Amino acid sequence: MQIALREVHDSDLPVFYRQMNDPESLRMAAFTPKDPTDRDAFDAHWKRIRASDAVHRTVLADGDVVGSAAVYGEPGEREVTYWIDRAYWGRGIATAALGELLAQVPERPLYARAATDNDGSLRVLHKCGFRVTARASGYANARGAEIDEFVLMLDA
């Protein structure tokens, strides 16, 4: 399978919106918008993202839009994030996409966060060189509760 990243196109946004409304994906990601079905909030969020200095990319698998990956935040505190359509989980796409994003954004350190029970995402981050540096907790909208998360770092 050919994995590639490209700039986000307007036509990607309906795909991202659909992907972000999959109940199992939301539960696994945990830290999601309060109401992922609010299309106006989704559109406003993406308008802000696209106007910022975040590096946002569409993830393609054999030419199909399967998710997104990004680096965002203030210098020295920038974080990575990614979202892969559940239909494509377990195929190495997130690892390949994050690896490519890290090659495009050589800035270090970079941080990531993942729910402590999100084994898939933690595997992806470890394979890409991130290491757990702290444990925190926060309110997870998708679970309606305070949950534990790992803070991970990728340094030079």
Side-chain angles (χ1 to χ4, degrees):
M1 186 175 302
Q2 178 81 21
I3 308 303
L5 301 182
R6 67 158 165 74
E7 296 286 330
V8 174
H9 297 168
D10 291 344
S11 61
D12 300 333
L13 298 181
V15 178
F16 296 164
Y17 178 75
R18 177 188 54 76
Q19 291 170 345
M20 288 194 65
N21 276 283
D22 172 65
E24 188 174 338
S25 298
L26 286 167
R27 194 195 79 64
M28 189 57 63
F31 300 99
T32 61
K34 189 172 189 171
D35 179 5
T37 64
D38 183 339
R39 184 59 194 252
D40 290 338
F42 173 88
D43 289 339
H45 173 76
W46 273 95
K47 185 176 183 179
R48 282 190 309 276
I49 287 172
R50 293 174 85 188
S52 75
D53 66 349
V55 177
H56 238 95
R57 298 290 182 261
T58 296
V59 179
L60 304 171
D62 291 338
D64 293 329
V65 175
V66 299
S68 64
V71 174
Y72 68 95
E74 298 299 317
E77 299 176 6
R78 291 169 64 90
E79 291 189 34
V80 300
T81 187
Y82 47 89
W83 190 284
I84 302 297
D85 188 314
R86 184 167 51 95
Y88 292 88
W89 288 1
R91 300 183 192 183
I93 295 169
T95 301
L98 182 56
E100 177 60 27
L101 182 67
L102 295 174
Q104 291 181 16
V105 182
E107 170 185 345
R108 302 293 183 269
L110 291 174
Y111 296 89
R113 294 174 175 268
T116 57
D117 63 354
N118 188 339
D119 294 334
S121 194
L122 291 167
R123 272 193 307 276
V124 167
L125 291 163
H126 286 146
K127 286 179 184 178
C128 290
F130 284 82
R131 297 293 169 246
V132 173
T133 58
R135 190 176 184 126
S137 64
Y139 186 80
N141 287 319
R143 300 188 190 177
E146 186 99 1
I147 68 166
D148 289 334
E149 67 178 333
F150 287 125
V151 178
L152 301 96
M153 182 178 75
L154 176 68
D155 54 18

